[in-house]
Every structure is written in C-alpha cells, then in structure tokens.
Amino acid sequence: MKNSIVILILFILQFSYAQQTTTVSGFVSGKGRKIHAANVHLLGTNQKTVTDSLGYYLLENVAVGNYTIQISQLGFQTLKKKIEVVQDSINSFDFELTDNDNQLNEVVVSGTLKAVKRLESAVPVEVYSPVFFKKNPTPSIYEALQNINGVRPQLNCGVCNTGDIHINGLEGPYTLVLIDGMPIVSSLSTVYGLSGIPNSLVERIEIVKGPASSLYGSEAVGGLINIITKNPKNAPVFSADYFTTSYFESNLDLGMKFNTGKKATSILGINYFNYDQVIDKDHDNFTDVTLSERISVFNKWSFQRNNNRLFTIAARVMYEDRWGGDVRWEKKFRGGDEIYGESIYTKRGELIGSYQLPFEEKLMLSFSGNVHYQDSRYGTTSYIANQKIGFLQLTWDKKLGRNDFLAGIASRYTYYDDNTTATKEAESTWLPGIFVQDEITVSPKSQVLLGARYDYNSIHGSIFTPRAAYRFKANENTIFRLNAGTGFRVVNLFTEDHAALTGSRDVVIANNLNPEKSINANLNYIQKINFTNGTFIGIETTAFYTRFSNKIISDYETDPNKIIYDNIDGYAISQGISTNVDLNFTNGLKFILGATVLDNKNVENGVSEQPFLTENFTATWSISYKIEPWNLLLDYTGNVYSPMKLPLLSEYDPRNPKSPWYSIQNIQFTYTGWKDFEIYGGIKNLLNFTPKQNNPFLISRANDPFDKNVQISDGTNVGIYGKVVPQGQVVDTPDNPYGLTFDTTYVYGQNQSIRGFFGLRYNFR
C-alpha cells in the first residue's frame, strides 16, 4: 500500500511538472532574409540553441514564466527582448535583427576583389548599410553620403546644382564609383551614377580611401565607392518607401522580387523623384534649388547553377529633366538670351554582370557597359555630350598554401564626344590591363599583400601601378594596417567641371593635359573594446598621405574672366588623420562619431596654396536611441565643416573669400510598432543654415546673366575707383561697382533652409 501511494505521488508530481513546461519556437530574420546559425539563449537558464537553414529555432522543456531572450549573430546587433512563456499556448516568437551600421566583421570585397571579413582584410574598407542611411533619408545616395566621415557631396554649380563626391578633400574626379564591383559610373557626372538607385535594393556601400588603381585602374586615384546591391534570393518580396518634405520634394522607392521557374530569381527596383516648386528665399530672382523630375528602373537577375557557381546580370535605365535659373524661366526660353536658365536632359543606361566559368579553377568573367547622353543648356551655352563605355574583366582566384593569389586581365573602351572647344573630334580610347595580387599569410598574426597592375592607354601609353599592404593582428581586438600604392587618372575635362560651362568665364587650356599620377601611404589602427555588460566600443583611426604629380588645376585667379586649366608645375599634397568611433550601449543608445583633419595644398615654384573648396576639418555624428516600450527610434545626425577657400571675381568682390564654419543637423523619429510598416518624420537643417548668410549675394550679376551691361576694358578705361583697368578685364562702373560678370561658381553647400519631412516604409518578406 505504501508503495502504491509513493508511486501515485511521484506520478502526480511528474504530471504537474510536465504541465509546467512547454516549447518556445519561431523564426529569426534580418537584412530581408532568414538567418542561419543565429544563437538563441534564454538568459539565466541553460536553454540555448541555434537557428537552422530556414532561420527556425526550437527550445524544448521550457518552464512557464517570464524570460529575457537573447539573439546574436555576426554582422547584426545583439537583440534582447522580454517574453512570457505560457502553458497551453503557442509560444511562438519571431525576431528581426538589425544589421550593424559600421560592423567591423562585415564581409567586404572592395579592398582586394575578394570576399573577406573586414577585420581580415589587409586594405581598410569602410562599410555602411541601409540602416545607416535611413537615419537621415535622402532622395539619392549622393546626398546620403554627407553623413560619412571624410566624404562630402560638393555642389559645383549654384544654379544647376550638379556636384561630385569629395573624399578626404579630393575633388570628385578622383573618386571611382562602382556598382557591384563594376566601374559603371564614368567621369561624365559622377552624381548621375549615384542618383536613382532604389535605396531598398542596396545591400551595403563600401568605401576605400586612397588609391586603388592597381586593382581598378583609372579614376581610382583618391578612393572608391562600391554600391553593393541585394542578392535577389535575399531581397524582400515587396518593399516601398515614400517620403516628402515641406519643400514638396517627393521620393518613391519600390522593390519587388520575382521567381521565374526554379533556377532564376529577379528583383525590380523603381525610383521616382519629383521637385517642381520655384522657391527663392534669398530673393535674387533665381531658384534656390534646381527643379527636377527623375525616374530610374533597376532590374537584377540571379541564376542557380551547378556547384553554386555565380551568374548575375543587372540593368538600369535613368532619365532626368532638371532646371534652375531665373524664376520666370520656361522651356520655351531654353538656349535663348531672353530669360536665363540652365536646363539639363540626361539619358543613361547601364548593364553589369558576373559569370563564373564552368571550370574547377575559380575563374570569374565580369562585364559592364554604359551609355550616357546629355543635352544641356547653360543660358546660350550648349553642352551636348555622348559617352559610351565598355568594360570586360577575367579574374583567377587561387589559394596555394599561405598564398592567396588573384590575377586578372581587363579591357576598357571609352567613346566620348561633345560640342565643346576642348573636344575637336570624337575620342575613342582603349585601356587594356593586366594585374596580379598575392596575399601572403606570414603567421596567424601577420599578413602581407603585394599587387601590381600594368595598363596601356591608346593615347598616353604605358602606366604601371604597384601597391603593398601589411596587416598585423595583435589580438582579436587590436589590428594595425600599413598600405602604400599608386594611382592614375586620364582626364576628360568638361565632363567633370561644370564651372567651365556656366557663367561667362572663357575656358583656356594652357597645354596638352597629361594623366595625373599619385602615390599614397596610410596607417590604419582598429581597437575593439567589449565590456562584460554588453557595451561595445570600436575605434578606427587612419593617417594618410597622398602626393600628386601632373595634377590638373583650375586657375580662377590669374584672370577673373577665365578658367585656365593646366598640369601643375610642381606637386600637390593631401594628408591628414581620420578617426571613427562606434559606441553601442545595452540600453539602446548608439553613437557613431567621426572627425577628419585635412591638409591639402598645391605647391608650385616653392609656393604652397590651399585648393578651392577644400576644408581643413570635418566631423560627422549619428546618435540613435530606441525607446522599446513606445516602439520609437530617435536619430540625430549632423556634420560640421571648417572654412573653405572660395573663388572671387575681382579685388572688389564683396563676398567672403572663405566660407564660415557651418553645420547641417537633422532629427528623425521612427515608429516601428506596426508589423512590416515604419512611419518616420523629422526636421532637416535644424540650424537653418544657408550659404547666403553673411554674404550680399551668391550668384554674381544675377540681374544681368548674359553680361549685356558689362564693359570690357581696352586698356585705357578708368574705373570708378580711379584706376586704369587692364585690357580684357571688367571695368568697374556705377552699374557694376564691383567689376563682376555673371558667375555661379561661388557655392559650397546646399541652399535649402530648415524643412520638415514625413515618410512611410513597408516591407513584405
């Protein structure tokens, strides 16, 4: 009898215990895909597991109660969330991980043309995900780059608002822009290559600062920007992002995924931007911001092949119609001298692809091509340009013991024609090249990279660009890198300098322009600090030095009525130090801080001068805080720039010869409480800064854009200040007391005042 009672009691206890345990399951996803091998842990217990290939996890025999579940995976921010486990209920919890904005362990390809973890790469590569750019939404990647340390979008025209990207103070032509590793963006207006790419289809952006010509050839003199688009297999089924501002700028991004059969997946992205408000807050009767309508369509295909061999192909077409100028301008005035306007029609098509050849050896065939037609009118000056570029590259990737080889052959064809005086006839250029690279693992802590490239330009002849790099890994948290290399750039002058086309300055090319060459060295230091409470600090500092020979400079000062282009008779230096700090706290507070100190100068005949539009100091920041109970994310972003030298037209020009210290700051609130939806809004340019502040005007002689009332001296004219005006220069008269002509080159920052914005995002996985 006693035994029966004991057995009954044990049975009841066992049954009671069984009733108090259950299972917890769900899916873990991030970056638009299910995450394999993510770590799942119920904190305070021994309950741990990892997700399977479909992102599914299962925890069994979990006692009923309240827990904190932790999800972690390389490349994503660790997620901690409180859950309640209930008996007789389906305890299913799905989690969405957020990718790290500047994660040190991201896989990168731009530094060596190989997929490698960022910390393992001998070449420093900065990585930025769409999460980073969502902190300050913009209608184009060009504008989004303003929050990256050492990178500055520079407006070159105060009327048409075209621009380029400065890296470490170097002008846009020194920056190579790639899409999926292909040099799809030519020198013909880099800004067009960065406009119209749907942000929803961007996987990440990689930035290499410093020459990379030994791998990428011409244009990679100052650095490169590589836009990596999503793999169609990992893209969301449908995504949409729309926002508008109080300036009535409207931007729409659409992304869709299609499966065609069992072996082909495609993504389609559409970007549409429209801004048609004539706004003149500085009261000069000229538009403050260019009016624009742009549509871009991007389509990428991925094909499944045997042995997981790669085959992707993508195409993009873009059309843009933009204009700025006199607020009374209409299209009927295009190209005339009645009402001044700058009108630009752009048509652009791009094709890129990669195909892994069906051999045991890893042979990759990559190709790209683009056509670019531009029909522009700057007042009565026309610029009709036609450029076609084809690129083909074959690489061989091989590991032999401690050596990781990469070798390749490439050929680039460029056809360029325009109607300017600098292009007397259409120009066709062939640029075949061969390159080799070897990454040598000297020891578990040391790695050496040696590389060289030989190109033969059909116009300029042989060009040799070597490079070397060394990486020392003191421990898992401390890394040093030393890089040295060379770069070169073949120049298409007018494709890069809109200042040569606007205003009334005459363009003078002093001599035949030779290719620019550079030599660079930089020292990179990374330190990671992990605290026991989960707080993380990442510090990355780079000291850099670049010396240019044959640098082409634009001389605005010798003659205020001319822009004189010539190779420098001397050398140019770009040097400085840059630091990025990434702080992540367990309470949801996150800081990304950056600062760069620059010393850029042109040296001729022993005289050193700072180039125009080059700052000595820049800083950026992004501060984010997630208020979990409210599902509210707060982002505060901004930048600050030191004064820059600006081009004046005469000794009497009343505008400031240097820009002031200025800062563009933004705040954004994002609500994430609805499934698959995000609502966001905020304020841009909180300090209400515009370049007109402390200046009487920005555009000189806006009242006489065709210089009909400008008097040119014959050498005997005496101005109102009693001085004889040299022949060919502008006479200062009562109607023109400063002796100016119409000119739009005095511009250094965006001319939009404080404004609000509001947007909505939707993602269906």
Side-chain angles (χ1 to χ4, degrees), residues 184-214:
I184 195 70
V185 178
S186 60
S187 57
L188 187 57
S189 305
T190 296
V191 64
Y192 294 112
L194 291 171
S195 297
I197 299 175
N199 292 334
S200 59
L201 298 186
V202 175
E203 177 76 18
R204 66 186 185 275
I205 294 179
E206 299 180 3
I207 297 178
V208 177
K209 297 174 181 177
S213 293
S214 62

Side-chain angles (χ1 to χ4, degrees), residues 198-201 230 235-241 252-258 266-271 298 762-764:
N199 292 334
S200 59
L201 298 186
K230 290 183 182 296
V237 175
F238 178 78
S239 64
D241 189 346
L252 174 66
D253 273 342
L254 295 176
M256 290 156 278
K257 179 170 76 172
F258 306 93
S266 174
I267 52 173
L268 176 68
I270 300 173
N271 171 259
F298 179 86
Y762 173 74
N763 277 279
F764 178 67

Side-chain angles (χ1 to χ4, degrees), residues 523-596:
L523 178 64
N524 175 262
Y525 164 70
I526 289 178
Q527 180 66 57
K528 296 191 300 178
I529 305 172
N530 294 286
F531 295 91
T532 55
N533 65 353
T535 298
F536 168 80
I537 300 178
I539 303 171
E540 182 169 4
T541 299
T542 303
F544 55 90
Y545 174 87
T546 304
R547 188 182 192 276
F548 291 89
S549 58
N550 290 342
K551 184 180 180 183
I552 295 174
I553 58 174
S554 50
D555 181 0
Y556 292 84
E557 296 180 306
T558 299
D559 188 331
N561 299 306
K562 297 177 181 179
I563 303 178
I564 303 172
Y565 293 93
D566 198 0
N567 291 108
I568 191 171
D569 183 17
Y571 60 92
I573 298 293
S574 172
Q575 58 189 347
I577 187 168
S578 177
T579 297
N580 289 310
V581 179
D582 195 345
L583 298 91
N584 292 273
F585 298 94
T586 55
N587 63 357
L589 185 62
K590 181 179 180 65
F591 292 82
I592 300 176
L593 310 173
T596 300

Side-chain angles (χ1 to χ4, degrees), residues 502-745:
T502 58
S504 62
R505 290 177 182 253
D506 294 327
V507 175
V508 177
I509 301 174
N511 298 289
N512 291 329
L513 300 177
N514 296 316
E516 296 178 293
K517 297 181 180 180
S518 69
I519 183 169
N520 168 274
N522 64 71
L523 178 64
N524 175 262
Y525 164 70
I526 289 178
Q527 180 66 57
K528 296 191 300 178
I529 305 172
N530 294 286
F531 295 91
T532 55
N533 65 353
T535 298
F536 168 80
I537 300 178
I539 303 171
E540 182 169 4
T541 299
T542 303
F544 55 90
Y545 174 87
T546 304
R547 188 182 192 276
F548 291 89
S549 58
N550 290 342
K551 184 180 180 183
I552 295 174
I553 58 174
S554 50
D555 181 0
Y556 292 84
E557 296 180 306
T558 299
D559 188 331
N561 299 306
K562 297 177 181 179
I563 303 178
I564 303 172
Y565 293 93
D566 198 0
N567 291 108
I568 191 171
D569 183 17
Y571 60 92
I573 298 293
S574 172
Q575 58 189 347
I577 187 168
S578 177
T579 297
N580 289 310
V581 179
D582 195 345
L583 298 91
N584 292 273
F585 298 94
T586 55
N587 63 357
L589 185 62
K590 181 179 180 65
F591 292 82
I592 300 176
L593 310 173
T596 300
V597 177
L598 287 167
D599 178 23
N600 287 14
K601 55 190 175 184
N602 297 328
V603 181
E604 287 189 284
N605 301 318
V607 178
S608 175
E609 288 190 359
Q610 182 181 3
F612 287 105
L613 299 170
T614 301
E615 67 275 15
N616 290 121
F617 175 82
T618 178
T620 59
W621 64 86
S622 170
I623 303 173
S624 302
Y625 181 65
K626 183 69 177 289
I627 307 175
E628 290 287 355
W630 298 352
N631 295 307
L632 188 66
L633 177 63
L634 169 65
D635 291 301
Y636 170 51
T637 59
N639 52 50
V640 62
Y641 301 107
S642 67
M644 293 175 272
K645 182 181 176 183
L646 301 173
L648 300 181
L649 295 180
S650 76
E651 60 178 313
Y652 307 118
D653 194 328
R655 295 173 294 184
N656 292 319
K658 285 192 174 184
S659 64
W661 283 87
Y662 76 96
S663 176
I664 304 297
Q665 301 178 24
N666 320 283
I667 192 167
Q668 175 182 255
F669 300 90
T670 304
Y671 179 73
T672 60
W674 295 344
K675 183 179 180 181
D676 300 329
F677 282 93
E678 289 183 358
I679 298 177
Y680 59 93
I683 300 174
K684 291 178 179 287
N685 195 5
L686 283 166
L687 302 182
N688 197 27
F689 172 80
T690 59
K692 173 70 181 298
Q693 296 173 11
N694 300 318
N695 273 309
F697 51 83
L698 291 176
I699 301 172
S700 71
R701 299 286 293 173
N703 62 320
D704 184 23
F706 299 102
D707 289 336
K708 294 180 179 179
N709 298 317
V710 172
Q711 183 179 349
I712 304 299
S713 174
D714 60 8
T716 63
N717 301 81
V718 178
I720 59 175
Y721 301 105
K723 295 181 179 179
V724 176
V725 181
Q727 185 176 358
Q729 294 194 16
V730 179
V731 180
D732 45 290
T733 64
D735 179 62
N736 186 11
Y738 305 124
L740 307 180
T741 57
F742 175 70
D743 188 75
T744 66
T745 59

Side-chain angles (χ1 to χ4, degrees), residues 415-451:
Y415 170 88
Y416 178 77
D417 190 23
D418 67 29
N419 64 327
T420 66
T421 56
T423 307
K424 297 180 180 178
E425 58 184 30
E427 193 173 89
S428 297
T429 306
W430 284 97
L431 189 65
I434 183 170
F435 58 90
V436 63
Q437 174 183 279
D438 185 14
E439 294 181 80
I440 307 165
T441 303
V442 180
S443 71
K445 292 187 175 183
S446 298
Q447 181 185 23
V448 174
L449 181 145
L450 302 173

Side-chain angles (χ1 to χ4, degrees), residues 113-126:
L113 280 181
K114 291 170 174 282
V116 60
K117 288 183 180 179
R118 187 180 171 216
L119 286 178
E120 304 299 322
S121 172
V123 178
V125 181
E126 295 181 14

